[in-house]
Structure formats: structure tokens, C-alpha cells
């Protein structure tokens, strides 16, 4: 079973000497297997070590895959955006020097996502042309390959994520419809990779969002399909996403009482925070706040949830999202209101602290020590 594949990583690490050059391929298996039993952030250090070992041995394909895993895990865990942008710039420079165009495309997408949430949202920013104008690729010729492959699907999902994050419904609707044209086979490249969580949760959340606005059955079917996927793939990291989708589904039915929907959202928020997906917990808080305000005109709980969302997005470093929340909900974020002065510190909805030991070492791990001698790695 796929859920048992984490054992491959354990066996591989146990039987290989970490000092041997041929062990570089072992570490990136964390990105595809260990997340079934361990917190997703546990893959950060092994993937970064795999990158180092691969560069040292000149195994550039493994280096690129390990680095892509590391970058994706960091982004998926919602760790601070500021140091991530700095590290990504260095990694992208290294990929340019090494001629790793495939990996450079994925890194560029993550860089643009981080730049958007930390500075200013623009639907046009997540296009190949705009990223080429920012000199994020080795050359503009790379765009031709990116447009027709896996990179384009990933870019569309990141565009869907940012459109949803910033409540840009026109872009969200167009992008979602574009993604629905791809078959399951065309998306199968995700396999056991943890990035599958990201794809399925976006299919689910925004399927329900679009169904609520349009009442088109195709969107509801897509969202229910996402819930079924999470029910079939139960693991430490998938449960919080399933809980969030169950809450969103319940919120759409007028037959469900407010207390039931609120309890479902609270459960999802606690699980997301404790599992290390605090930025997703911020999104869940905003969803809960909207529900309390729009369905029940409950300003007290709407304030509580929106302020918690604000706090979590500030922790993430999503300055643009914080500004968007303040513009969208000024009546809930007035100075002096009880909710506006409420801190998440000590709140039962915050859960336990998020992987401080991992977060502390991320910036130190990523660069000056990774200076690359290109003459040795190409030999």
C-alpha cells in the first residue's frame, strides 16, 4: 500500500553509509514516502542533506530533485516567507550555474508565490512571461518547455491558491476551469509525492466555493471527489485537510446547525496548526469567520476567527494577505474591539508550537556553506 511506502525510506537510510557518495539518492525518498507517518517538516533536513550529498558527488539530477522536495516542503509547511525568499534566490542561482532548467522552473514558481504573499498580489504575476521578465529563468527559451509540461499544471495550482487566498474570484473561476480540463492521468505525476495534498485540498475548497456561487454540479462533484481521496489516504498529514473539507461541506447545508459547523471548523483549525500547516489554519480561520458572518450575522465569532487568521498570516510573513484582511474586514478589526486585542498565544485553537527547531536552522542550512565548485560537479 502507498501508506506503507515510508518504510522504504527507513530501510534505505539504515543500510547505506551517509558518507558514501552513492547515498545521495536515498534522501529524497523522504519527499515521496516519509510523510505518510511523520510530520511533513521532518523531510526538510533529509532533503537538504540529499541536495548537499548529490552536489558533492556530481549527481545533478538527484541534487535537483532533493532541492525541489526541500523547497516544496518548506512552502507547504507555511514556514516564514522572508528567509525562504533569500534562500530561494541563492538556490536558483545555483541551479542556473548547474544548468538544471527543470528544477529552476519549480523554484521560480515558489519564489513568485512567496514574493506575492509578502509584497503585493497580482493575478498577472503568475505567468511565464512575467517571471521571465524578472530574470527568474536561464533564458526565455525555457518558457516553451514549461508551458506544455508538468510545470504549467503546478503554475496553475499556485495561481489557484493565490486567487483563493486573496479572494480574486474571476481568476479563481477561470483557473479552476482550466485545471478541470486536465485528466487524472495528466496529474498522475504527483504519485505518492506530498504535493498531492496541495492539489487535492485546492480542488476541494474551491470546488465548494464555486458551487456555492454558481450551483453548478460539476464543482460539487470535484469537491466531493477530493473528500473521497483524503478518506482513502488517511495519514498524519492528510487528516487536517480532510477535516477542513468536511467543515466546508457542512457549512453549505442550511440543515446543519451553527454549533456543528463551528465545531468542525475548530477541529480542522487545531489539527492544521498542530500538524505544522499554520498558514492553512489561517485560511481555515477566515473561512470560519466568513461562515459566522454571512450565515449567522455573528460578529463576535467572526471577529475572533478573522483576528486569528490575521495573526497566523503575520507569523507566516504574508504581509500582502494581512493588508488584504484589514481592507476586507475593517468593521471586524476596529481598534479597541475585544477580538482585535485578543492574542492567539495561549488560545486552545493555536495548538502546540510549530517545529521551532526546524525553523531555527533553515536559513543557516541553506547557503553560504553551499557554495558550488562547478568544475568539480560537472566532472
Amino acid at each position: 500500500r502507498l501508506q506503507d511506502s515510508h518504510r522504504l525510506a527507513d530501510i534505505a537510510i539504515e543500510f547505506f553509509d551517509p558518507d558514501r557518495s552513492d547515498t545521495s539518492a536515498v534522501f529524497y525518498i523522504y519527499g515521496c514516502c516519509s510523510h505518510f507517518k511523520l510530520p511533513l517538516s521532518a523531510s526538510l533536513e533529509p532533503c537538504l542533506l540529499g541536495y548537499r550529498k548529490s552536489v558533492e558527488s556530481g549527481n545533478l539530477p538527484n541534487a535537483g530533485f532533493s532541492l525541489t522536495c526541500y523547497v516544496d516542503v518548506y512552502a507547504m509547511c507555511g514556514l516564514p516567507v522572508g528567509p525562504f525568499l533569500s534562500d530561494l534566490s541563492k538556490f536558483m542561482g545555483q541551479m542556473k550555474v548547474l544548468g538544471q532548467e527543470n528544477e529552476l522552473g519549480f523554484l521560480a514558481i515558489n519564489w513568485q508565490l512567496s514574493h506575492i504573499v509578502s509584497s503585493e498580489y497580482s493575478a498577472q504575476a503568475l505567468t511565464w512571461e512575467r517571471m521571465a521578465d524578472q530574470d527568474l529563468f536561464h533564458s526565455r527559451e525555457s518558457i516553451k518547455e514549461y508551458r506544455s509540461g508538468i510545470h504549467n499544471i503546478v503554475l496553475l495550482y499556485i495561481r489557484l491558491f493565490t486567487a483563493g487566498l486573496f479572494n480574486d474570484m474571476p481568476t479563481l473561476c477561470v483557473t479552476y476551469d482550466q485545471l478541470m480540463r486536465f485528466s487524472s492521468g495528466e496529474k498522475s505525476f504527483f504519485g505518492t509525492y506530498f504535493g498531492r495534498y496541495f492539489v487535492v485540498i485546492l480542488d476541494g475548497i474551491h470546488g465548494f466555493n464555486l458551487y456555492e456561487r454558481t450551483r453548478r454540479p460539476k464543482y460539487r462533484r470535484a469537491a466531493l471527489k477530493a473528500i473521497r481521496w483524503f478518506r482513502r489516504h488517511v495519514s498524519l498529514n492528510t487528516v487536517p485537510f480532510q477535516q477542513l473539507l468536511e467543515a466546508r461541506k457542512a457549512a453549505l447545508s442550511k440543515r446543519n446547525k451553527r454549533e456543528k459547523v463551528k465545531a468542525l471548523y475548530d477541529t480542522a483549525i487545531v489539527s492544521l496548526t498542530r500538524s505544522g500547516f499554520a498558514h492553512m489554519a489561517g485560511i481555515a480561520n477566515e473561512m470560519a469567520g466568513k461562515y459566522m458572518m454571512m450565515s449567522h450575522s455573528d460578529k463576535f465569532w467572526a471577529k475572533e476567527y478573522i483576528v486569528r487568521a490575521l495573526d497566523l498570516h503575520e507569523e507566516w510573513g504574508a504581509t500582502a494577505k494581512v493588508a488584504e484582511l484589514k481592507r476586507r474586514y475593517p468593521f471586524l478589526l476596529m481598534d479597541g474591539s475585544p477580538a482585535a486585542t485578543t492574542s492567539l498565544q495561549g488560545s486552545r485553537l493555536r495548538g502546540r508550537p510549530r517545529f521551532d527547531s526546524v525553523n531555527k536552522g533553515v536559513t543557516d542550512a541553506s547557503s553560504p556553506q553551499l557554495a558550488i565548485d562547478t568544475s568539480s560537479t560537472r566532472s
Side-chain angles (χ1 to χ4, degrees):
R1 296 190 311 161
L2 294 180
Q3 289 89 333
D4 294 330
S5 62
H6 71 283
R7 296 175 183 170
L8 296 175
D10 296 336
I11 293 171
I13 295 296
E14 180 180 352
F15 282 92
F16 282 87
D17 179 356
D19 293 325
R20 285 173 48 186
S21 61
D22 63 352
T23 62
S24 59
V26 172
F27 296 98
Y28 70 72
I29 201 171
Y30 270 81
C32 291
C33 300
S34 69
H35 57 85
F36 286 111
K37 292 292 181 181
L38 299 173
L40 186 57
S41 65
S43 296
L44 281 168
E45 291 182 12
C47 288
L48 193 58
L49 182 57
Y51 174 61
R52 286 173 167 171
K53 291 287 185 182
S54 298
V55 169
E56 289 171 3
S57 64
N59 191 333
L60 300 187
N62 284 338
F65 190 83
S66 296
L67 181 57
T68 301
C69 283
Y70 170 79
V71 167
D72 287 349
V73 169
Y74 193 109
M76 187 78 175
C77 288
L79 294 168
V81 172
F84 189 43
L85 275 169
S86 175
D87 292 344
L88 269 173
S89 296
K90 296 169 186 174
F91 287 139
M92 288 167 65
Q94 292 164 4
M95 291 295 100
K96 283 183 180 180
V97 169
L98 296 174
Q100 298 298 293
E101 292 288 340
N102 185 63
E103 285 70 25
L104 185 58
F106 294 120
L107 299 190
I109 294 170
N110 276 289
W111 189 94
Q112 194 74 330
L113 165 64
S114 301
H115 179 70
I116 287 171
V117 301
S118 63
S119 57
E120 183 179 5
Y121 171 70
S122 168
Q124 290 71 40
L126 281 165
T127 62
W128 297 118
E129 291 78 8
R130 180 66 64 86
M131 289 190 283
D133 291 342
Q134 295 171 255
D135 197 29
L136 298 183
F137 309 125
H138 191 269
S139 70
R140 295 189 72 91
E141 293 298 315
S142 305
I143 296 177
K144 296 178 182 178
E145 181 178 348
Y146 296 153
R147 283 183 189 281
S148 59
I150 294 172
H151 297 81
N152 201 49
I153 299 178
V154 174
L155 180 69
L156 288 173
Y157 270 109
I158 296 296
R159 189 184 300 160
L160 184 69
F161 172 74
T162 56
L165 184 67
F166 290 96
N167 295 286
D168 178 359
M169 291 306 298
T171 300
L172 189 150
C173 185
V174 170
T175 306
Y176 198 94
D177 284 343
Q178 286 178 306
L179 285 164
M180 289 188 78
R181 296 190 190 109
F182 290 99
S183 67
S184 298
E186 289 173 299
K187 297 179 184 179
S188 64
F189 64 88
F190 286 102
T192 63
Y193 194 53
F194 66 87
R196 186 75 172 178
Y197 307 164
F198 183 72
V199 166
V200 179
I201 191 64
L202 292 181
D203 285 344
I205 288 176
H206 297 309
F208 282 133
N209 287 342
L210 290 171
Y211 175 70
E212 183 177 41
R213 293 176 70 92
T214 68
R215 293 295 165 179
R216 293 181 180 175
K218 68 174 183 178
Y219 296 130
R220 186 174 184 272
R221 287 196 297 268
L224 293 177
K225 182 179 179 181
I227 290 180
R228 290 194 298 270
W229 188 91
F230 281 120
R231 287 175 179 171
R232 290 196 307 270
H233 299 84
V234 177
S235 74
L236 175 70
N237 293 299
T238 59
V239 168
F241 295 111
Q242 179 187 336
Q243 290 171 337
L244 181 56
L245 288 183
E246 298 284 5
R248 184 67 180 98
K249 176 186 175 185
L252 288 174
S253 175
K254 294 181 179 179
R255 291 178 296 179
N256 292 319
K257 294 183 178 180
R258 185 189 70 162
E259 290 73 18
K260 176 182 178 179
V261 177
K262 182 180 179 300
L264 289 171
Y265 271 123
D266 287 349
T267 298
I269 290 166
V270 170
S271 295
L272 286 165
T273 308
R274 287 182 173 175
S275 298
F277 304 114
H279 62 323
M280 292 299 297
I283 292 171
N285 270 291
E286 184 180 2
M287 290 166 62
K290 286 180 181 178
Y291 169 76
M292 298 304 290
M293 189 67 205
M294 301 301 292
S295 299
H296 300 284
S297 299
D298 188 334
K299 287 189 176 182
F300 175 80
W301 278 111
K303 287 179 182 179
E304 289 289 320
Y305 285 117
I306 297 301
V307 171
R308 289 167 181 162
L310 194 72
D311 183 272
L312 288 164
H313 288 309
E314 283 182 339
E315 181 184 335
W316 183 24
T319 306
K321 178 58 182 176
V322 169
E324 192 264 346
L325 284 172
K326 290 179 178 178
R327 288 193 303 270
R328 184 171 292 273
Y329 306 105
F331 58 97
L332 297 180
L333 299 171
M334 294 170 60
D335 291 338
S337 69
T341 57
T342 300
S343 171
L344 271 174
Q345 299 297 335
S347 168
R348 68 181 181 86
L349 291 182
R350 187 175 183 82
R352 61 177 179 264
R354 278 197 302 138
F355 308 114
D356 290 338
S357 61
V358 172
N359 190 12
K360 181 179 178 182
V362 166
T363 304
D364 294 338
S366 57
S367 266
Q369 299 92 329
L370 288 181
I372 297 175
D373 180 348
T374 57
S375 62
S376 62
T377 56
R378 290 180 184 278
S379 60

